[in-house]
């Protein structure tokens, strides 16, 4: 038995039909060149016929919105899907399937996850091997983004020659010696209450300090986000789009301009959002504000949620990408310094107080025209080594995150090898022509690269 944390409970309480609270990922594999025709089918049958029970956290079932307990009635048919798209399916058809599945709720009477194997995807290019997809979704109350990425890395192999006979949901059987490190220690209610009470004084101090901050500073207030088309009521319909970019391109810009890679990512996103909103005549005169998750995870566990949120000024009111980059950099540094002074429990309680009216809004829609932020932009570190599934090489992974009512877009990216993989989820009934955002991301990155080239040539300071 493991008690729910306050953050985990919130993800369950805010869930509604049009607001599913699961995170997911699309993983694209290439079939080994010497594989049999039934390679994917054999993987499917291997998982369907396995008698090995699921391991943590895939064996956890919710009990009375209070704690997690082990599920003694696991039925693979309720968690596993085998799909064959009409051949040869383009990425467009694949993403359409993911869009539909990502908008569907998980069954709370069972462990909160699903696994989909998808066949029939056309090759990456002429002469390349066939591809198949794995779409996995799991409730955000069970794991955060960092934990989800760790689960992926532990389920796959770094060797093309290793044969994995266990189903993905029994992956910890391959890592018995690591089980103690990934399963969090159970804590009593008394210990939890004690931790919460100890946060009162430092949290109050930070809140009072925030009231004294000058308006011209880099600090972003929870009342600063402007009304926008991104903050309309959402439906249960989802649109999922994805693309990959060489991380070296972002690193070059970061090194040239003296900022972090994440600062460059946020600036590229801000520029693309500015272009997109201009194209549909919906750009607010004030800058958009992003809620950027900041990992507080200092252990090796794969359970629960350990993160804070930094409010970042995206500078979308500025035409100059360099001015936007400077604003983003200063805004993120301010948030990191503030949360760096606090423990994990203090950060959670600070956030609950500072963003309290936004949480009320998410629960009740009491302030439909006012939001603490306009969208979430999340960056999740991934594997720097190639991953394989029985010799099938993982070619790309695209994260798919959650939307809140009044938050019609989420941008999440994950690193893999030498690439950054963007996964963008939007409410398809609220935001039109969202596919165009991918080209705008490329255009914004190219503009920053041009500035770097001009600096290197001495044309620009």
């Amino acid at each position: 038995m493991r008690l729910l944390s306050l953050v985990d409970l919130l993800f369950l309480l805010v869930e509604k039909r049009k607001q599913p609270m699961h995170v997911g990922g699309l993983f694209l594999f290439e079939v080994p060149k010497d594989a049999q025709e039934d390679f994917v089918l054999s993987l499917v049958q291997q998982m369907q016929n396995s008698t090995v029970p699921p391991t943590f956290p895939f064996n956890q079932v919710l009990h009375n919105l209070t704690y997690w307990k082990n599920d003694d009635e696991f039925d693979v048919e309720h968690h596993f899907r085998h799909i064959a798209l009409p051949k040869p399916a383009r990425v467009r058809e694949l993403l359409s399937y993911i869009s539909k599945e990502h908008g569907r709720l998980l069954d709370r009477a069972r462990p909160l996850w699903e696994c989909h194997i998808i066949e029939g995807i056309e090759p990456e290019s002429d002469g390349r091997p066939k591809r198949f997809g794995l779409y996995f979704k799991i409730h955000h109350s069970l794991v955060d983004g960092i934990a989800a990425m760790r689960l992926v890395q532990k389920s796959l192999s770094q060797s093309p020659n290793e044969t994995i006979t266990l189903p993905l949901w029994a992956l910890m059987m391959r890592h018995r010696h690591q089980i103690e490190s990934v399963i969090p220690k159970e804590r009593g209610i008394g210990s939890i209450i004690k931790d919460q009470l100890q946060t009162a004084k430092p949290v109050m101090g930070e809140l009072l300090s925030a009231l004294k901050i000058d308006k011209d500073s880099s600090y972003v207030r929870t009342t600063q986000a402007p009304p926008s088309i991104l903050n309309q009521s959402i439906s249960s319909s989802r649109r999922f789009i994805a693309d990959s970019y060489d991380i070296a391109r972002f690193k070059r810009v970061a090194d040239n301009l003296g900022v972090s890679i994440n600062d460059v990512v946020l600036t590229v996103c801000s520029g693309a959002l500015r272009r997109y909103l201009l194209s549909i005549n919906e750009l607010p005169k004030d800058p958009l504000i992003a809620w950027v998750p900041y990992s507080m995870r200092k252990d090796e566990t794969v359970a629960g949620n350990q993160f804070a949120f930094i409010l970042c000024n995206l500078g979308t009111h500025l035409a100059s990408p360099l001015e936007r980059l400077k604003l983003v950099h200063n805004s993120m540094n301010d948030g990191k310094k503030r949360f760096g002074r606090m423990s994990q429990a203090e950060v959670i309680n600070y956030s609950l107080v500072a963003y309290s009216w936004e949480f009320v809004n998410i629960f009740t829609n009491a302030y439909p025209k006012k939001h603490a932020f306009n969208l979430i932009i999340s960056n999740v570190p991934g594997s720097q080594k190639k991953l394989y599934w029985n010799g099938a090489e993982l070619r790309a992974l695209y994260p798919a995150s959650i939307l809140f009512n009044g938050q019609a877009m989420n941008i999440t990216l994950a690193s893999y090898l030498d690439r950054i993989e963007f996964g963008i989820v939007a409410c398809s009934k609220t935001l039109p022509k969202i596919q165009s955002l991918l080209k705008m991301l490329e255009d914004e990155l190219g503009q920053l690269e041009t500035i770097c080239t001009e600096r290197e040539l001495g044309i620009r300071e």
Side-chain angles (χ1 to χ4, degrees), residues 301-319:
T301 63
V302 295
N305 292 274
Q306 299 183 31
F307 59 87
F309 280 106
I310 294 175
L311 289 178
C312 177
N313 188 329
L314 293 178
T316 49
H317 62 306
L318 300 171

Side-chain angles (χ1 to χ4, degrees), residues 249-251 253-255 257-271 290 292 294 310-315 321-336 377 379 413 420 422 444-445 448:
R249 300 175 65 187
F250 292 87
K251 187 176 187 305
V253 174
D255 291 345
L257 299 175
V259 296
S260 71
I261 291 177
N262 195 49
D263 291 338
V264 179
V265 167
L266 289 169
T267 304
V268 168
C269 290
S270 75
V292 182
Y294 174 62
I310 294 175
L311 289 178
C312 177
N313 188 329
L314 293 178
L322 286 180
E323 290 182 22
R324 285 200 306 273
L325 179 59
K326 181 179 179 180
L327 191 55
V328 165
H329 174 72
N330 291 338
S331 182
M332 287 299 294
N333 279 355
D334 176 84
K336 289 175 183 177
I377 303 178
N379 192 344
L413 47 138
I420 295 180
F422 278 75
E444 282 298 315
L445 180 55
L448 285 170

Side-chain angles (χ1 to χ4, degrees), residues 112-339:
L112 293 170
W113 59 269
E114 283 181 6
C115 175
H116 301 238
I117 299 295
I118 309 158
E119 284 193 86
I121 307 166
E122 67 179 3
E124 188 175 327
S125 58
D126 291 341
R128 298 289 305 184
K130 296 180 186 177
R131 290 190 292 178
F132 69 95
L134 164 68
Y135 168 64
F136 209 106
K137 67 180 182 181
I138 185 168
H139 205 278
H140 213 321
S141 59
L142 274 173
V143 298
D144 60 27
I146 301 292
M149 193 59 65
R150 285 180 181 171
L151 287 172
V152 172
Q153 293 181 47
K154 291 179 182 298
S155 66
L156 302 177
S157 172
Q158 294 180 11
S159 170
N161 301 316
E162 181 181 358
T163 299
I164 302 171
T165 59
L166 294 169
L168 297 177
W169 46 88
L171 59 96
M172 285 315 300
M173 293 297 290
R174 297 172 59 226
H175 304 276
R176 292 181 179 86
H177 64 289
Q178 297 179 13
I179 288 180
E180 290 299 321
S181 68
V182 300
I183 299 179
K185 294 179 174 61
E186 294 182 7
R187 301 176 63 205
I189 188 67
S191 173
I192 294 173
I193 292 175
K194 180 181 178 181
D195 282 353
Q196 296 301 310
L197 290 176
Q198 289 177 342
T199 70
K201 184 176 179 179
V203 166
M204 186 58 65
E206 288 292 339
L207 290 169
L208 291 173
S209 296
L211 295 176
K212 302 174 183 177
I213 294 175
D214 187 88
K215 290 184 178 180
D216 295 327
S217 73
S218 299
Y219 177 76
V220 180
R221 290 169 171 77
T222 59
T223 56
Q224 197 169 321
S228 81
I229 192 174
L230 301 179
N231 308 114
Q232 307 300 309
S233 294
I234 62 172
S235 69
S236 59
S237 299
R238 297 290 180 267
R239 180 72 189 277
F240 177 63
I241 59 175
D243 209 347
S244 299
Y245 301 86
D246 289 339
I247 198 170
R249 300 175 65 187
F250 292 87
K251 187 176 187 305
R252 179 197 172 203
V253 174
D255 291 345
N256 186 286
L257 299 175
V259 296
S260 71
I261 291 177
N262 195 49
D263 291 338
V264 179
V265 167
L266 289 169
T267 304
V268 168
C269 290
S270 75
L273 287 166
R274 173 183 165 84
R275 288 175 185 248
Y276 171 70
L277 294 175
L278 281 171
S279 73
I280 58 174
N281 297 315
E282 291 285 353
L283 180 67
K285 67 176 183 177
D286 293 322
L288 295 179
I289 304 299
W291 219 16
V292 182
Y294 174 62
S295 177
M296 302 289 290
R297 190 174 290 275
K298 295 181 173 62
D299 54 32
E300 293 299 317
T301 63
V302 295
N305 292 274
Q306 299 183 31
F307 59 87
F309 280 106
I310 294 175
L311 289 178
C312 177
N313 188 329
L314 293 178
T316 49
H317 62 306
L318 300 171
S320 166
L322 286 180
E323 290 182 22
R324 285 200 306 273
L325 179 59
K326 181 179 179 180
L327 191 55
V328 165
H329 174 72
N330 291 338
S331 182
M332 287 299 294
N333 279 355
D334 176 84
K336 289 175 183 177
K337 288 177 182 176
R338 189 176 338 109
F339 288 134

